[in-house]
């Protein structure tokens, strides 16, 4: 088979539309990240799944129930239970009664677990290092595209929901406050937004994928926000 025939055969197999090429790129990136995750995990005596749970608990800054961990990591209940039990045996997690329901159990990081979580958060740094070689406008374009891709996957039910600007009740266009008060406001750029609760200006480079101030909006809020974000 000639090289031309091999290329055409590969195109027929994987597709040649932009979406197909992006998918192939993401798959290659996933391979590199999975390899790095396993290398780090083995050196720490853990698995990538256990490291992910530690990082989630560190990000949330509060105890989480097993079903919350399973939902946010897209793991089965059995896998989550096994991973948490192992982390507890290693002295990295501890169980306690949930604050909102004393009948339920939640898990939290121990001091050793917090140290392990901080180390786990460092392994993706090789991607950040590579991204820093891109121009600022290229980094913004990559992030904006990923943000919208993640939201689209959420809508299709193929990715766990995130505490992101696109579904938060506090996210709105930059000129929304003036419109509510009936005052004339300067026309905002299409990618100009604001967080009401943090009183912070946002654009497509500063949208948040995971925010501690997040409060889920209603269906109407989701639809309005997605309509705005699809335009940027």
């Amino acid at each position: 088979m000639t090289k031309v025939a091999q290329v055409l055969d590969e195109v027929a197999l994987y597709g040649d539309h932009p979406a197909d090429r992006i998918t192939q790129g993401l798959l290659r990136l996933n391979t590199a990240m999975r390899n790095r995750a396993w290398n780090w995990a083995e050196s720490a005596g853990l698995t990538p799944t256990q490291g992910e749970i530690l990082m989630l608990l560190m990000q949330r800054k509060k105890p989480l129930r097993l079903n919350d961990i399973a939902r946010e990591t897209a793991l089965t209940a059995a896998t989550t239970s096994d991973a948490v039990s192992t982390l507890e045996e290693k002295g990295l997690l501890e169980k306690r009664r949930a604050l909102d329901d004393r009948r339920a159990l939640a898990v939290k990081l121990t001091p050793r677990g917090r140290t392990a979580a901080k180390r786990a958060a460092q392994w993706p740094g090789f991607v950040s290092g590579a991204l820093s070689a891109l121009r600022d406008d290229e980094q913004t374009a990559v992030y904006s595209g990923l943000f919208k891709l993640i939201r689209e996957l959420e809508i299709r039910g193929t990715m766990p929901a995130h505490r992101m600007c696109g579904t938060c009740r506090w996210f709105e266009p930059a000129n929304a406050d003036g419109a509510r008060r009936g005052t004339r406001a300067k026309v905002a750029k299409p990618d100009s937004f604001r967080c009401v609760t943090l009183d912070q200006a946002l654009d497509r480079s500063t949208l948040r994928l995971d925010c501690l101030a997040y409060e889920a909006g209603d269906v109407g809020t989701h639809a309005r926000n997605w309509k705005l974000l699809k335009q940027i």
Side-chain angles (χ1 to χ4, degrees):
M1 182 181 287
T2 65
K3 286 186 178 180
V4 172
Q6 289 176 345
V7 170
L8 293 176
D9 188 54
E10 186 175 272
V11 168
L13 178 63
Y14 295 113
D16 197 35
H17 294 292
D20 298 322
R21 292 194 291 272
I22 292 170
T23 300
Q24 285 302 304
L26 290 173
L27 287 171
R28 290 172 184 265
L29 181 59
N30 178 62
T31 298
M33 295 188 75
R34 185 174 65 245
N35 180 62
R36 283 297 184 109
W38 271 108
N39 287 342
W40 167 82
E42 288 178 352
S43 68
L46 301 170
T47 67
T49 296
Q50 292 163 6
E52 185 178 3
I53 290 173
L54 292 176
M55 286 192 290
L56 175 64
L57 287 164
M58 181 176 66
Q59 291 166 351
R60 289 295 179 268
K61 302 182 185 298
K62 65 179 183 179
L64 294 177
R65 300 186 195 183
L66 293 189
N67 61 333
D68 294 328
I69 294 173
R71 184 183 66 252
E72 297 213 31
T73 55
L75 297 170
T76 64
T79 299
T80 302
S81 180
D82 288 346
V84 166
S85 294
T86 300
L87 290 169
E88 187 179 18
E89 290 170 3
K90 292 177 179 292
L92 303 179
L93 296 183
E94 63 182 18
K95 290 189 175 78
R96 58 180 295 178
R97 294 292 174 185
L99 296 176
D100 58 344
D101 185 351
R102 304 302 294 178
R103 296 168 299 176
L105 289 175
V107 294
K108 61 174 291 188
L109 294 171
T110 63
R112 285 181 56 208
R114 185 165 288 100
T115 299
K118 290 178 180 178
R119 289 174 180 165
Q122 294 174 359
W123 75 257
F126 79 103
V127 178
S128 300
L131 285 168
S132 67
L134 303 181
R135 298 192 311 269
D136 289 347
D137 61 317
E138 291 176 320
Q139 292 183 42
T140 296
V142 170
Y143 180 63
S144 177
L146 283 174
F147 188 96
K148 290 190 282 186
L149 175 60
I150 288 170
R151 179 58 189 143
E152 183 63 38
L153 290 171
E154 286 184 355
I155 292 171
R156 296 180 182 218
T158 52
M159 177 172 277
H162 293 71
R163 303 183 306 174
M164 64 193 305
C165 289
T167 58
C168 183
R169 63 173 294 198
W170 302 120
F171 176 79
E172 63 179 24
N175 58 0
D177 185 53
R180 278 196 301 270
R181 291 179 304 190
T183 58
R184 292 191 61 178
K186 198 172 166 182
V187 177
K189 296 187 298 180
D191 68 340
S192 182
F193 310 105
R194 68 187 291 263
C195 173
V196 176
T197 193
L198 296 179
D199 192 23
Q200 184 178 64
L202 299 166
D203 59 29
R204 66 185 190 137
S205 68
T206 55
L207 296 171
R208 295 174 184 268
L209 275 172
D210 189 77
C211 181
L212 289 173
Y214 176 85
E215 289 187 30
D218 56 26
V219 174
T221 298
H222 291 189
R224 180 204 69 188
N225 290 353
W226 186 228
K227 183 178 180 180
L228 291 170
L229 291 169
K230 287 177 76 171
Q231 298 174 17
I232 66 175

